[in-house]
Amino acid sequence: MPELLLVGRVAKAHGISGELAVDIHTDVPDERFVPGAVLTARLRDRSVRPVTVATARPHSGRLLVRFDEVPDRTAAENMRGAQLLVDVAELPPSDDPDAFYDHELEGLAAVLADGTSVGTVVEIARSPGAELLILKREDGTEALVPFVRAIVPEVDVKGGRVVLDPPEGLL
């Protein structure tokens, strides 16, 4: 199976015509949710199926999306909680040296400027305030690190690491 990247998650059905409220997990929703785009939906039961975007429009911080394969409210209710994914191989390379796909960061070693190991990046979380790196620490606990240049001054994907300069008490 190809490596898949999360671009959205179905929050709930919206209305009676099969429209879905989708939480966005991509910086380029206008590219990922364009009519005709085919995404992979991973349902709550872990089954997967392709879905084709028919329409998408912004609404209250989410997108309202209709898929060709979801014709009514009943079908939309079955999509609640589904992850919407794209094949990593289909992603264009980024021209921005400060832009990264989640899958490029996940698995990188997190180290301090002096080389001290802190842990491993296991996930990128998005909150209204900022993106967060979720680290699995050496002691097995998790730490949340704001993904901002002041705290993460260096990302070396090829070298397999992110360098942290955390303020006192963050870790």
Side-chain angles (χ1 to χ4, degrees):
M1 183 168 200
E3 184 177 358
L4 300 173
L5 177 69
L6 180 69
V7 295
R9 186 180 308 271
V10 175
K12 62 181 183 173
H14 181 84
I16 60 171
S17 63
E19 202 165 38
L20 298 161
V22 173
D23 291 323
I24 303 163
H25 293 273
T26 176
D27 290 339
V28 287
D30 53 328
E31 293 177 21
R32 303 285 172 253
F33 293 94
V34 65
V38 177
L39 305 173
T40 298
R42 182 180 295 141
L43 306 179
R44 290 177 301 210
D45 66 3
R46 307 304 287 168
S47 65
V48 295
R49 68 180 207 176
V51 290
T52 307
V53 176
T55 64
R57 61 189 172 100
H59 178 75
S60 300
R62 291 180 166 153
L63 285 180
L64 294 180
V65 181
R66 288 183 49 72
F67 294 109
D68 292 339
E69 299 81 2
V70 183
D72 56 32
R73 174 128 188 144
T74 301
E77 286 294 340
N78 290 331
M79 292 287 292
R80 182 187 297 262
Q83 294 177 322
L84 301 172
L85 310 157
V86 295
D87 186 340
V88 168
E90 296 175 10
L91 299 174
S94 175
D95 295 332
D96 183 350
D98 292 329
F100 306 96
Y101 291 117
D102 291 4
H103 72 278
E104 293 176 307
L105 300 172
E106 293 168 354
L108 295 182
V111 299
L112 298 177
D114 67 4
T116 303
S117 179
V118 175
T120 304
V121 178
V122 292
E123 187 178 346
I124 313 308
R126 289 176 173 73
S127 68
E131 292 179 338
L132 301 168
L133 299 178
I134 300 177
L135 306 180
K136 179 81 165 203
R137 301 202 41 178
E138 301 291 323
D139 64 4
T141 61
E142 286 189 345
L144 301 177
V145 176
F147 190 34
V148 295
R149 186 175 298 280
I151 299 173
V152 186
E154 182 183 344
V155 176
D156 182 3
V157 173
K158 288 187 171 123
R161 69 186 193 138
V162 294
V163 176
L164 307 178
D165 184 14
E168 186 70 33
L170 180 64
L171 299 175

